Amino acid sequence: MPHDDHDHPHSLLPPDPALRVKALETLLVEKGLVDPAALDAIIDTYAHEVGPRNGAAVVARAWSDPAFLDRLRTDATAAVAEMGFTGRQGEHIVALENTATVHNLVVCTLCSCYPWTLLGIPPGWYKSDAYRARAARDPRAVLSEFGVVLPAATAVDVWDSTAEIRYLVIPRRPEGTQEWGADALAGLVTRDSMVGTGLARDPGTCP
Amino acid sequence: MPHDDHDHPHSLLPPDPALRVKALETLLVEKGLVDPAALDAIIDTYAHEVGPRNGAAVVARAWSDPAFLDRLRTDATAAVAEMGFTGRQGEHIVALENTATVHNLVVCTLCSCYPWTLLGIPPGWYKSDAYRARAARDPRAVLSEFGVVLPAATAVDVWDSTAEIRYLVIPRRPEGTQEWGADALAGLVTRDSMVGTGLARDPGTCP
Amino acid sequence: MPVTRVHDMGGRHGDGPVTPAPQDAPPFARPWHARACAVTLAAGALGLWSIDRARHARECLSPADYIRFGYYEKWIAALADLLVATGAVTREELRGAPATPSPLASRRLAAADVAPVMGRGSPYGRDGAGPRFAAGDPVRTRRPARNLYVSGGHTRLPAYAAGHSGTVIRCHGAHVLPDASAHGLGERPEPLYTVAFRAADLWGVSAHPADSVRLDLWESYLESP
Amino acid sequence: MPVTRVHDMGGRHGDGPVTPAPQDAPPFARPWHARACAVTLAAGALGLWSIDRARHARECLSPADYIRFGYYEKWIAALADLLVATGAVTREELRGAPATPSPLASRRLAAADVAPVMGRGSPYGRDGAGPRFAAGDPVRTRRPARNLYVSGGHTRLPAYAAGHSGTVIRCHGAHVLPDASAHGLGERPEPLYTVAFRAADLWGVSAHPADSVRLDLWESYLESP
């Protein structure tokens, strides 16, 4: 058990992180514990297939399909599974709807839990000490660093992902999009808006 | 005010610590803010004059002079001032007497406060993260790392130096020293025994 | 309070501003980040440790390493520690000695299984005792935040939320208890709740009076106030 | 809890063993340690900051710097920050621009004054209000551990001791309040007490039942339980 073993085996590996990874990969492949083709498949999955487009599709549908929104509210895990979004770091999903009076912000202060199935690999800032240390205590200052200034009357609910529940923020639907279809709506939904550090794009400025 | 100024001026100095010190010293001397001869005098003071011999003299006298021990209990600052021990990081002194049932251990979890006038500059371990983090929570494990194993019936009182009170531990006087004079007794008193991470030397093993 | 580790940083002062990234930034900033991620997931698929044990291995990095290492450096360091702790590799192999074929090779994740394994995940809900608390109930978190089974062990109650009063807003059924699972003590599932705390109760008057902080907490972390 | 900074490490898990030193180890392990100590004391003698402000400058180093810097590296970094903050030196001078003679040179500590200045120290006792608590009184520390004047400001209540019940064992009279003094808010002297806590109350059942932890705490850190 590595519990407070102060003679950490990792110190036996080369200090340079890229060489460290390479040394461990080589060793595991040689021992038959890791298949290099599986590594390529994992990287391909998270570099190209699983990313914030998934979450954006969920948000766009929640905005435009009231029956889906109902299912999302009742059991978000099942509702997003309908759309094919299941798996690692997305086993238990809860959707958080922003309103005129409540803004939701997601953090993981203890590590970097994040809804991989819907948003992919977390961005660097989400994993940074600054975000982890400050988001729960000082969310409005953190939001201002993302250019988001909320009305003082809007409450901020911060969700610290301490268990295996993964949170997806449903940003507010921009005004003037009543006629938009789901695909166009999804183009308004940024990664940050689904973590709560951003808002959906203004349709007037959208490409 | 340097309060959470994230553009810390210190980063403008050379990264190597020895060069950093030299650069700052040179600048302050050039500006007329620091006298090089004063630096030498300060170093001489703490390298050669003020050190654990002071504390050992206090302990030896406390062991051998009951009237002094009474004064030490009543007002340790005044009692050690009688012996000439006054000044920076020794403005307010409290003596802690070890007994058969209580062992005292001193730490400063928030920085490295230490009774300079009696013990000089703190040793590296006293300033280490490991000592600061662990001494208050797990004093018996820390003591064991110094080779000190206390009877289970002995209570450990840990003193966290959070204000300007500086603590001097009075170790237990070794058996078989009834006839010893103060100078010989002082030879039994180690630095660690006055912090509480050691005991007084066994007279049988003393040089 | 710090009966905890350096990873438990929620509420800490002294960190600088957060640096946002473009919405379309590539998920892996460096090629070796992608390799580190993939090696960790592939090794995890051997089934030698739980996610809780893997988290605890990262938390057990020395405070200095935890702070100076980047995200994937922590992953790789903890992975090496876990592989040695479980006997999957030896210290000598980490040092560069010739690798011995592993009897665990039959568990190797095949490329063809990546999609189904990642797409399935591993749900943490379990059958278990019914919940003691209901939505709307006031609760208080235990204090200090610590593992009750192992001194210094893994727990998911952040120090900033220990000993505070809040309100249950949801019960998620029974989930695997990290405090046990991280230490090979079985899953010991317990009801998991989302609990809301007033930000001002946690942080004092500097917090906005309308704001809240919500955490997912197991039943043994909670008591009636 | 971590409404605090990385310096507030009492109780933290994950640090390795303590490494003792010979009883007669030289006080300065490296020549530059001695220079760093002397420069800091000599600059401090200019009277531009209180000891509390100097401590806070060290605490305000970034968490990464605080952990990776050695003791005297922290001193020198904080000294540079303080000298700029007080206007005694400029950023340009730190960068290597030619030094301008300082109008504060008249305050320079002369070599002949080192012994009397160091030997005098600066006592922190002050006239002030009489104590509200007496030895034997039960008290509870405030929670969270934080500066009431400045968000994230200096305080000397460690997080591990916040919100705990203890017993006053001694009153030291009124002392300068660090929470004010560190931020240029005057000395605001308050009665200072030594308070004893049961170790088991602070750390849980892993503590020895007979053990205690004692801290020196100002009156505004305490309330009646």
Side-chain angles (χ1 to χ4, degrees):
Chain A
M1 194 174 70
H3 180 66
D4 280 344
D5 171 3
H6 292 291
D7 179 20
H8 286 100
H10 70 77
S11 60
L12 303 172
L13 288 167
D16 176 79
L19 296 181
R20 206 165 241 234
V21 173
K22 187 68 195 163
L24 202 53
E25 177 184 334
T26 303
L27 172 60
L28 291 173
V29 169
E30 286 178 1
K31 290 187 71 67
L33 293 170
V34 159
D35 174 3
L39 300 182
D40 293 338
I42 292 169
I43 292 171
D44 186 60
T45 300
Y46 292 109
H48 303 299
E49 293 181 21
V50 177
R53 276 194 311 271
N54 293 2
V58 171
V59 170
R61 190 162 172 201
W63 282 345
S64 51
D65 177 347
F68 178 78
L69 179 60
D70 273 348
R71 297 199 296 283
L72 196 67
R73 288 172 172 164
T74 307
D75 182 346
T77 311
V80 305
E82 291 175 26
M83 300 176 69
F85 305 140
T86 63
R88 190 179 191 288
Q89 289 300 305
E91 291 92 347
H92 307 276
I93 299 286
V94 167
L96 307 170
E97 295 170 66
N98 286 349
T99 69
T101 54
V102 174
H103 181 87
N104 295 285
L105 179 72
V106 180
V107 64
C108 171
T109 63
L110 296 175
C111 44
S112 302
C113 296
Y114 191 75
W116 285 28
T117 52
L118 299 173
L119 301 184
I121 299 286
W125 58 260
Y126 187 84
K127 302 178 285 199
S128 69
D129 284 8
Y131 188 73
R132 291 170 54 190
R134 295 176 54 231
R137 177 175 52 77
D138 204 4
R140 289 163 195 267
V142 170
L143 285 169
S144 75
E145 290 154 18
F146 284 83
V148 175
V149 179
L150 299 173
T154 300
V156 177
D157 289 346
V158 177
W159 302 75
D160 189 357
S161 309
T162 46
E164 301 305 333
I165 314 297
R166 297 291 166 265
Y167 292 99
L168 178 74
V169 174
I170 310 293
R172 296 182 69 197
R173 180 175 179 166
E175 306 279 337
T177 58
Q178 299 82 343
E179 310 299 321
W180 291 40
D183 282 358
L185 286 171
L188 300 177
V189 183
T190 64
R191 178 197 63 213
D192 290 4
S193 72
M194 295 182 279
V195 183
T197 55
L199 309 177
R201 289 191 173 104
D202 179 339
T205 64
C206 201
Chain B
M1 194 174 67
H3 181 66
D4 280 345
D5 171 4
H6 293 292
D7 180 19
H8 286 99
H10 69 77
S11 59
L12 304 171
L13 288 166
D16 176 78
L19 296 180
R20 204 165 243 233
V21 174
K22 187 68 196 162
L24 201 54
E25 175 182 335
T26 303
L27 173 59
L28 291 173
V29 169
E30 286 178 4
K31 289 187 73 69
L33 292 170
V34 159
D35 175 2
L39 300 183
D40 294 337
I42 292 170
I43 292 170
D44 186 59
T45 301
Y46 292 108
H48 303 299
E49 293 182 21
V50 177
R53 277 193 310 270
N54 293 2
V58 171
V59 171
R61 190 163 171 199
W63 283 345
S64 50
D65 178 347
F68 177 78
L69 179 61
D70 274 348
R71 297 200 295 283
L72 195 67
R73 288 171 172 164
T74 308
D75 182 345
T77 311
V80 304
E82 290 174 27
M83 299 176 69
F85 306 140
T86 63
R88 190 178 189 288
Q89 289 301 305
E91 291 92 348
H92 308 276
I93 300 286
V94 168
L96 307 170
E97 295 169 66
N98 286 349
T99 68
T101 55
V102 175
H103 182 86
N104 295 285
L105 179 71
V106 180
V107 64
C108 171
T109 64
L110 296 174
C111 45
S112 303
C113 296
Y114 192 75
W116 285 28
T117 51
L118 299 173
L119 301 184
I121 299 286
W125 58 260
Y126 187 84
K127 301 177 287 199
S128 70
D129 284 8
Y131 188 73
R132 290 170 54 190
R134 296 176 53 230
R137 177 175 53 76
D138 204 3
R140 288 165 196 266
V142 170
L143 285 170
S144 75
E145 290 155 17
F146 283 83
V148 175
V149 179
L150 299 173
T154 301
V156 177
D157 289 347
V158 178
W159 302 76
D160 189 355
S161 309
T162 47
E164 303 304 334
I165 313 296
R166 296 290 166 266
Y167 292 99
L168 178 74
V169 175
I170 310 292
R172 296 181 70 198
R173 180 174 178 167
E175 306 280 336
T177 58
Q178 297 85 340
E179 309 299 320
W180 292 39
D183 282 356
L185 286 171
L188 300 177
V189 183
T190 64
R191 178 198 63 214
D192 290 4
S193 73
M194 295 182 279
V195 183
T197 54
L199 309 178
R201 291 192 172 104
D202 179 338
T205 65
C206 201
Chain C
M1 77 220 63
V3 191
T4 178
R5 292 171 189 270
V6 70
H7 76 280
D8 185 4
M9 63 182 71
R12 185 173 78 181
H13 281 266
D15 292 270
V18 180
T19 307
Q23 302 299 322
D24 55 357
F28 299 113
R30 301 262 183 290
W32 71 264
H33 292 183
R35 303 309 290 181
C37 179
V39 170
T40 303
L41 296 192
L46 295 168
L48 299 176
W49 50 78
S50 65
I51 193 168
D52 305 299
R53 186 168 176 187
R55 287 198 183 111
H56 190 57
R58 290 171 202 141
E59 296 162 9
C60 283
L61 295 173
S62 76
D65 281 349
Y66 194 93
I67 285 207
R68 80 188 165 90
F69 282 175
Y71 181 71
Y72 290 113
E73 282 181 275
K74 294 187 189 78
W75 277 35
I76 283 296
L79 176 59
D81 295 342
L82 283 165
L83 287 165
V84 170
T86 55
V89 310
T90 65
R91 287 175 177 267
E92 290 64 38
E93 287 173 329
L94 287 185
R95 277 196 199 95
T100 310
S102 173
L104 299 165
S106 59
R107 304 190 186 193
R108 187 177 78 161
L109 177 68
D113 291 332
V114 165
V117 165
M118 296 298 144
R120 196 161 54 232
S122 41
Y124 300 89
R126 296 289 183 274
D127 291 334
R132 174 180 162 202
F133 303 110
D137 283 356
V139 289
R140 173 178 282 272
T141 48
R142 75 181 182 214
R143 179 162 186 247
R146 69 164 185 278
N147 186 304
L148 298 183
Y149 305 109
V150 177
S151 175
H154 182 66
T155 191
R156 296 290 289 181
L157 175 60
Y160 76 79
H164 280 286
S165 296
T167 305
V168 171
I169 59 174
R170 182 160 176 173
C171 178
H172 297 280
H175 274 232
V176 175
L177 180 67
D179 306 52
S181 167
H183 299 283
L185 302 174
E187 297 196 328
R188 308 198 190 188
E190 290 185 3
L192 177 70
Y193 304 91
T194 304
V195 179
F197 301 87
R198 291 182 61 243
D201 288 345
L202 299 179
W203 314 117
V205 291
S206 64
H208 190 291
D211 292 355
S212 76
V213 182
R214 285 115 192 269
L215 296 92
D216 297 320
L217 302 172
W218 281 261
E219 191 163 282
S220 62
Y221 295 7
L222 304 173
E223 53 195 43
S224 293
Chain D
M1 77 220 64
V3 191
T4 176
R5 292 170 189 271
V6 69
H7 75 280
D8 185 4
M9 64 182 70
R12 186 172 79 181
H13 282 266
D15 292 270
V18 179
T19 306
Q23 301 300 322
D24 55 357
F28 299 113
R30 300 261 183 292
W32 71 264
H33 293 183
R35 303 309 290 181
C37 178
V39 170
T40 303
L41 296 192
L46 295 167
L48 299 175
W49 51 78
S50 64
I51 192 167
D52 305 299
R53 187 168 176 188
R55 286 197 183 112
H56 191 57
R58 290 171 203 142
E59 295 162 9
C60 283
L61 295 173
S62 75
D65 282 350
Y66 194 93
I67 284 208
R68 80 187 164 89
F69 282 176
Y71 181 73
Y72 290 113
E73 281 182 275
K74 294 187 188 77
W75 276 36
I76 283 296
L79 176 60
D81 295 343
L82 283 165
L83 287 165
V84 169
T86 55
V89 311
T90 65
R91 286 174 177 268
E92 291 63 38
E93 286 172 329
L94 286 185
R95 276 196 200 95
T100 311
S102 173
L104 300 165
S106 60
R107 303 192 187 193
R108 187 177 77 161
L109 177 69
D113 291 331
V114 165
V117 165
M118 296 297 143
R120 195 160 56 233
S122 41
Y124 300 90
R126 296 290 184 272
D127 290 334
R132 174 179 163 205
F133 303 110
D137 283 356
V139 290
R140 173 177 283 272
T141 48
R142 76 179 182 215
R143 180 159 186 249
R146 68 164 186 279
N147 187 304
L148 298 183
Y149 305 109
V150 177
S151 175
H154 182 67
T155 191
R156 294 291 287 183
L157 175 58
Y160 77 79
H164 280 285
S165 295
T167 305
V168 171
I169 59 173
R170 183 159 175 171
C171 178
H172 297 279
H175 275 231
V176 174
L177 181 67
D179 307 52
S181 168
H183 299 283
L185 302 174
E187 297 197 328
R188 307 200 189 187
E190 290 186 2
L192 176 70
Y193 304 91
T194 304
V195 180
F197 301 87
R198 291 182 60 243
D201 288 346
L202 299 179
W203 315 116
V205 291
S206 65
H208 190 291
D211 292 355
S212 76
V213 182
R214 286 114 192 268
L215 296 91
D216 297 319
L217 302 172
W218 282 261
E219 190 162 283
S220 62
Y221 296 6
L222 304 173
E223 52 195 42
S224 292

